[in-house]
Amino acid sequence: MSTHFFADTTVLLGRSLRHITRSVDTVITTTIMPIAMLLLFVYVFGGAIDTGSVSYVNYLLPGILLITVASGIAYTAFRLFTDMQGGIFERFQSMPTARSAVLWAHVLTSLIANLISLVVVVLVALLMGFRTSAGVLAWLSVAGILILFTLALTWIAVIPGLTAKTIDGASAFSYPLIFLPFLSSAFVPTDTMPGPLRFFAEHQPVTSIVNAVRALFSQQPVGTDIWIALAWCVGILVVAYAFAMNTYRRKIS
C-alpha cells in the first residue's frame, strides 16, 4: 500500500463528496422510496398485520433501514461506471496516486451518503410515532451493524460499477437486494409464511439483521441473532471486497 494512500483517499473522497453536494437529488432520491414504503405500510397495511404488542412502525423500521441502504448503493455503482467511462481511472493512474485510493473514495462516499439517508428515515419514523427505549450502547450497536451492512453491499456495488456495459446494467443489480427484505421478517412475522418460504426467510441474512436491530431498539435480549447478523455482514464484506479488488486489478492492469 502506498505511503500516500490515506492522503490520496482523503483528497479523492472530497472530490466525490463535492459531486454529491452538487447533486443533492441523489441523496433525496434514495430516501424518498424508503419513506414512501414506510408511510404506505404503516398507514395502509399496518392495521391488517398482527405484530402483537409492538407498534407496526417500530416493527417495520429495521427492514426499511436495510432497504434504504440497498437503494442507496445503486448510486455507488452509477458513479463508478461514470468514472470508468469518463477515463478518470486512467487519468489518476498516470499520476503518483495510490491505485486503490479512487476506489476507496467511492466506497467511503457511499457510506457517508447512506448514513445521511438512514438518519433522515429515522427522523421521519420518529415523526410517525417510532419510539425506542434503547440506550447509547444499543444505538451504537445498531449503528455498527448498519455500517457493516452498508460496507458489505457497497463492495458488492463496486463489481457491477466496474464491469457493467451500460448505466442501467450498473444499477440494476440493486433490485434483488431491495426485494430481499420482503422475503424476511422485515414486514411480517415469518411464522405466518408457508413452509418453504418460511424456511428461506428464516435462514437468509436480512432476517437475522432485522431481528437483531429490532431487539436492540426494544431493549429485548438479542440472543444469537446479533452474532449471526455480524457473521453475515462480515462474511459478505470479505467476499465482496476480494472479488471487487480482483476485478479492479484486472481493469487497471
Side-chain angles (χ1 to χ4, degrees):
M1 182 180 292
S2 169
T3 55
H4 301 292
F5 170 78
F6 294 106
D8 293 342
T9 301
T10 301
V11 172
L12 294 173
L13 173 61
R15 166 186 173 269
S16 295
L17 289 175
R18 282 194 295 274
H19 286 177
I20 289 181
T21 58
R22 294 168 186 168
S23 182
V24 183
D25 59 303
T26 59
V27 177
I28 294 175
T29 302
T30 59
T31 59
I32 285 177
M33 185 185 71
I35 289 173
M37 292 178 64
L38 189 63
L39 292 168
L40 177 67
F41 275 88
V42 170
Y43 293 126
V44 178
F45 302 128
I49 299 174
D50 182 15
T51 55
S53 59
V54 181
S55 69
Y56 192 58
V57 66
N58 281 24
Y59 185 90
L60 182 65
L61 182 60
I64 295 296
L65 295 178
L66 299 195
I67 289 176
T68 303
V69 174
S71 61
I73 58 166
Y75 283 96
T76 302
F78 170 80
R79 287 190 292 266
L80 272 169
F81 176 84
T82 303
D83 275 359
M84 287 294 293
Q85 296 300 307
I88 296 297
F89 283 81
E90 289 81 359
R91 192 177 307 169
F92 283 130
Q93 285 178 55
S94 66
M95 303 168 63
T97 305
R99 283 192 166 193
S100 59
V102 62
L103 205 58
W104 272 103
H106 278 286
V107 170
L108 294 175
T109 299
S110 171
L111 180 61
I112 293 170
N114 277 291
L115 288 177
I116 293 172
S117 297
L118 289 170
V119 169
V120 172
V121 171
V122 170
L123 290 176
V124 171
L126 286 169
L127 292 175
M128 294 173 61
F130 169 71
R131 295 295 181 266
T132 175
S133 56
V136 175
L137 184 59
W139 274 102
L140 290 175
S141 298
V142 170
I145 292 172
L146 292 177
I147 287 171
L148 276 176
F149 182 74
T150 302
L151 287 173
L153 293 198
T154 298
W155 280 107
I156 292 176
V158 167
I159 300 170
L162 293 173
T163 59
K165 303 300 182 183
T166 65
I167 290 180
D168 291 337
S171 304
F173 82 98
S174 65
Y175 300 151
L177 299 178
I178 294 172
F179 182 70
L180 199 57
F182 289 92
L183 303 177
S184 73
S185 63
F187 291 88
V188 296
T190 57
D191 56 14
T192 64
M193 301 177 181
L197 180 57
R198 177 179 178 179
F199 179 84
F200 174 80
E202 290 178 346
H203 295 88
Q204 59 121 320
V206 169
T207 291
S208 57
I209 297 170
V210 164
N211 290 346
V213 172
R214 189 178 289 140
L216 288 167
F217 275 148
S218 61
Q219 289 288 275
Q220 298 296 318
V222 292
T224 59
D225 280 322
I226 191 167
W227 302 114
I228 297 173
L230 291 174
W232 272 113
C233 290
V234 173
I236 294 170
L237 174 57
V238 170
V239 173
Y241 174 79
F243 273 97
M245 292 303 295
N246 185 53
T247 302
Y248 180 60
R249 292 189 190 98
R250 290 203 311 269
K251 279 288 183 180
I252 66 175
S253 61

